[in-house]
Amino acid sequence: MDTIKQKAISGVRWNLINQVLDQGTKLVSTIVLARMLMPEDFGLLGMVVVILNFLAVFFEMGFGTALIQKEEVTQKDYDTIFWFNVLLGLLIAVGIVASAPLIADFYQNDDLIPLARFLCIAVAFNSLVVVPNAIITRNIDFKKITMANNASLIFCLVVAIVLAYLGYGVWAIAVQYVLLAISKAVTYFIFSGYKPSFDFSKSSFKSMLPYGLSVTGNRSLDYWGRNADNLLIAKYLGDFYLGIYTRAYQIMLLPVKNISSVIAKVLFPVFSRQQKDAELIARYYLRVTKVVSTITFPLMMGLFLVADEFVLAIFGEQWIEMAPALKVMCFLGMIQSIQTFNGTIYNALSKVNLAFKLGLAFKAVFIIGFIVGIALGGFMGLIYGYLVASVINLVPNLYFSLRLINLNPFKLLKNVALNLVLAVGLMLVVLALFHFTLPGLQNIWIGMFAKLFVYAGIFTAALYVFNREIFTDIKLLRKK
């Protein structure tokens, strides 16, 4: 138990380092390239990537998750899944090359034909990473993942910036996308130590197939639930609004990926090994969600507070239409930072079939929200539809997942209520304070940092008064 706990704490630390470096590099990439490229360039790439990422769900087929979740794994298991993924990845890549004209016809943009065919190289190389990633994750050895990810990220960023400077437009970020897949495959093999043998076991494949199919079904539904918005924007509003939307969504996800997803990745193998102890999992869950909400809720409301200044200062005037979308997405970010852990519970307790069935209903609500939103209000209508659908899905999602660990959803709501009230309430106080006392600051950088400084100070002071013990939990997580 102590060994698992130590590995979990170390895993959180290294996964956090990895995510900070990973997302920090990507943020720098986004900011620098956004200054050099136009929203249409990002939108054009996004039109293809939304389809490629969906196909990526199928070449993984949930077997990577199955390898992590399985109690005992043999070399034969690893080899079986590796060769299956390689074959499937190659078939999908060939299919993309053949269907590139169909993708272009769907979006009515012939520029997508060579772009799609080039990007399929990334699909083939991504199929090589499934087993090495499962080995490292299963061992809760996130230090190696950190090392494997970040050297290639920096190299690919430099290449993209050079190409953008030379005027290659969308091809600068397309080359970055492909190079990242290639370098990731190489580094994961090196750090996992995996050496595949030419071995394929039908019995091994069949033993993991039911779990893998359930995970794949749930992930495919989850993918379209999360990306139907991208498809609808690309199809009906065009590459400009897709570029605006994807950048805003990426900014919103930074706290979710850097905090919630970091911890969720570590909790999955930990919960899997303790899956018979629901009470222990519930205690971990409540403690983690309290710490996470203490960090992500004020981060999201701080971003809401300075969204206008942030977009102008960081991205430039050509991206100003991102600001109102980013404000609405801040509330989405708060919801997603907590709901991330519900998926971990389903997977760790082998309840992927339940997650799949619930996913059908949840994704239907999302898609209806997107369609109704875009029909009634265009771009902003879709974003408001996303928020409404997220709130509707929140209650049943919490109910069914927390029931698996004998936890009343009201305990969770009570657990995060103070952080929610402080984050939103104090944001409104600071907003009103600057509106009435310092309206229209001329320097956007001064205005942005002044608001953030005041908000952070007031929130920290309030937290110290009302929830002082949370600092101990945060300090423990940071140190260990």
Side-chain angles (χ1 to χ4, degrees):
M1 176 63 189
D2 290 337
T3 301
I4 294 176
K5 183 178 180 180
Q6 291 170 0
K7 282 188 175 183
I9 294 174
S10 177
V12 169
R13 183 186 66 179
W14 279 106
N15 209 8
L16 179 59
I17 293 171
N18 176 55
Q19 285 296 107
V20 170
L21 292 174
D22 178 274
Q23 295 302 313
T25 303
K26 289 179 179 177
L27 180 60
V28 171
S29 174
T30 295
I31 294 171
V32 173
L33 292 173
R35 288 282 187 174
M36 304 173 74
L37 303 173
M38 298 300 293
E40 290 86 349
D41 294 319
F42 288 93
L44 201 62
L45 182 75
M47 288 178 170
V48 181
V49 170
V50 70
I51 296 175
L52 296 187
N53 286 347
F54 173 65
L55 295 175
V57 173
F58 288 93
F59 75 65
E60 200 270 344
M61 282 290 288
F63 286 123
T65 305
L67 288 171
I68 298 170
Q69 197 274 338
K70 194 176 181 182
E71 290 188 16
E72 298 292 335
V73 183
T74 65
Q75 178 69 25
K76 186 174 289 187
D77 292 330
Y78 288 134
D79 292 339
T80 298
I81 301 308
F82 176 77
W83 292 114
F84 173 78
N85 284 328
V86 168
L87 177 61
L88 194 58
L90 290 173
L91 290 175
I92 291 175
V94 171
I96 293 170
V97 172
S99 61
L102 297 178
I103 297 174
D105 287 343
F106 176 77
Y107 291 118
Q108 297 182 347
N109 191 329
D110 289 339
D111 292 338
L112 296 175
I113 296 176
L115 193 62
R117 287 173 172 167
F118 177 72
L119 292 176
C120 78
I121 298 172
V123 174
F125 277 92
N126 281 333
S127 68
L128 302 175
V129 178
V130 175
V131 170
N133 179 64
I135 292 173
I136 297 174
T137 304
R138 183 177 175 82
N139 293 328
I140 320 180
D141 193 356
F142 291 94
K143 180 179 179 179
K144 290 183 177 178
I145 290 180
T146 301
M147 297 170 67
N149 277 343
N150 289 286
S152 56
L153 272 173
I154 296 172
F155 168 72
C156 295
L157 170 59
V158 172
V159 172
I161 291 174
V162 170
L163 291 176
Y165 177 78
L166 294 175
Y168 282 89
V170 66
W171 287 99
I173 46 180
V175 170
Q176 181 188 31
Y177 185 87
V178 171
L179 280 181
L180 190 58
I182 296 172
S183 57
K184 188 175 181 180
V186 173
T187 53
Y188 267 63
F189 261 92
I190 293 173
F191 287 106
S192 69
Y194 173 61
K195 297 179 180 179
S197 303
F198 290 98
D199 195 4
F200 187 92
S201 170
K202 291 183 180 180
S203 60
S204 175
F205 182 79
K206 289 181 180 179
S207 69
M208 288 182 279
L209 185 60
Y211 184 92
L213 288 176
S214 296
V215 171
T216 301
N218 188 49
R219 284 181 177 175
S220 62
L221 285 174
D222 184 66
Y223 183 82
W224 284 122
R226 291 177 179 270
N227 288 277
D229 46 356
N230 291 329
L231 193 67
L232 288 168
I233 292 172
K235 176 67 175 175
Y236 296 107
L237 298 178
D239 51 13
F240 173 80
Y241 281 107
L242 181 61
I244 291 289
Y245 182 80
T246 53
R247 295 310 95 189
Y249 194 83
Q250 182 185 23
I251 297 299
M252 179 272 289
L253 279 183
L254 283 174
V256 178
K257 285 188 174 182
N258 286 323
I259 299 169
S260 300
S261 295
V262 167
I263 300 175
K265 286 180 181 179
V266 178
L267 287 181
F268 175 50
V270 173
F271 283 6
S272 295
R273 295 185 184 186
Q274 303 296 324
Q275 55 189 277
K276 294 181 181 179
D277 194 342
E279 183 180 349
L280 178 63
I281 293 176
R283 287 204 306 269
Y284 281 165
Y285 177 86
L286 285 175
R287 189 172 186 179
V288 164
T289 51
K290 189 170 187 178
V291 170
V292 167
S293 65
T294 303
I295 302 171
T296 59
F297 286 10
L299 282 176
M300 288 287 90
M301 289 299 94
L303 181 57
F304 180 98
L305 187 65
V306 298
D308 294 315
E309 296 93 335
F310 177 81
V311 171
L312 284 173
I314 302 300
F315 291 92
E317 291 185 2
Q318 69 269 32
W319 293 86
I320 189 59
E321 291 190 52
M322 183 198 301
L326 191 58
K327 290 180 180 180
V328 180
M329 287 184 180
C330 288
F331 293 96
L332 284 170
M334 290 197 295
I335 295 174
Q336 291 191 17
S337 70
I338 298 301
Q339 283 201 135
T340 298
F341 301 106
N342 297 92
T344 304
I345 293 173
Y346 291 126
N347 288 336
L349 300 185
S350 298
K351 298 297 181 181
V352 289
N353 287 327
L354 174 61
F356 177 77
K357 293 174 183 177
L358 291 171
L360 287 172
F362 294 157
K363 273 53 182 187
V365 173
F366 277 125
I367 293 173
I368 291 172
F370 296 150
I371 294 173
V372 172
I374 205 169
L376 295 179
F379 179 60
M380 288 304 300
L382 180 140
I383 297 174
Y384 281 113
Y386 193 176
L387 178 60
V388 171
S390 296
V391 174
I392 292 173
N393 285 336
L394 178 63
V395 174
N397 193 12
L398 292 178
Y399 172 77
F400 285 105
S401 60
L402 298 187
R403 188 175 64 172
L404 297 174
I405 55 175
N406 302 321
L407 184 63
N408 191 318
F410 286 104
K411 285 189 176 181
L412 171 65
L413 297 178
K414 182 180 179 181
N415 200 46
V416 303
L418 177 62
N419 292 328
L420 177 63
V421 171
L422 289 178
V424 177
L426 293 177
M427 180 275 293
L428 293 174
V429 169
V430 175
L431 192 64
L433 176 66
F434 275 80
H435 177 74
F436 290 108
T437 61
L438 295 170
L441 283 174
Q442 295 299 313
N443 190 298
I444 57 175
W445 287 97
I446 294 176
M448 179 172 65
F449 283 112
K451 288 179 181 179
L452 289 177
F453 180 79
V454 173
Y455 179 65
I458 295 176
F459 183 86
T460 303
L463 205 60
Y464 187 80
V465 172
F466 295 106
N467 191 19
R468 188 176 305 180
E469 65 275 7
I470 197 65
F471 291 99
T472 302
D473 292 332
I474 296 174
K475 186 181 295 184
L476 180 65
L477 182 65
R478 179 174 57 86
K479 285 185 176 182
K480 297 186 178 180

